[in-house]
Amino acid sequence: MKFVKLLTAAHVAGVLRHPHEGVLHVSDDDAARLVGDQAAEDVSADFADRDTADLPPEPISNAEPDVPAADPAPHQSDVEPKAATDTKPKAKASADKE
């Protein structure tokens, strides 16, 4: 397992991650890909092995398990069209001329 610091937004374990999230704990394959693509720098040397031995890699899903799934939005072809409305601007009343 490696620690990387993202230089730009990149997909890590199937999730789009951003540099403001800080250092990420990723697999060796992901670290090699990110460093090779110049999307991240390897900062593993900054962490002691004894301190990081028990840390799991970044999870594949960041969804909370007890959040109910949202109802999908209907497709545009399944929605009734709105009635056409007159969108012309109304003429301004002209001032009375004497």
Side-chain angles (χ1 to χ4, degrees):
M1 298 314 226
K2 300 270 185 182
F3 289 91
V4 295
K5 180 179 176 186
L6 293 177
L7 303 173
T8 185
H11 282 92
V12 178
V15 178
L16 183 63
R17 305 302 294 260
H18 301 276
H20 71 273
E21 297 179 52
V23 175
L24 302 174
H25 189 213
V26 299
S27 67
D28 292 340
D29 294 337
D30 279 338
R33 179 183 54 84
L34 292 168
V35 171
D37 292 344
Q38 297 179 346
E41 59 183 9
D42 187 354
V43 292
S44 299
D46 295 344
F47 298 89
D49 288 337
R50 63 177 160 45
D51 296 335
T52 61
D54 297 332
L55 290 177
E58 288 294 316
I60 291 177
S61 174
N62 60 355
E64 294 185 23
D66 51 354
V67 175
D71 292 333
H75 189 270
Q76 185 176 2
S77 65
D78 297 333
V79 177
E80 259 324 293
K82 291 184 179 180
T85 58
D86 187 18
T87 59
K88 291 182 181 179
K90 294 183 179 182
K92 293 183 180 179
S94 59
D96 291 335
K97 294 184 181 179
E98 290 186 29

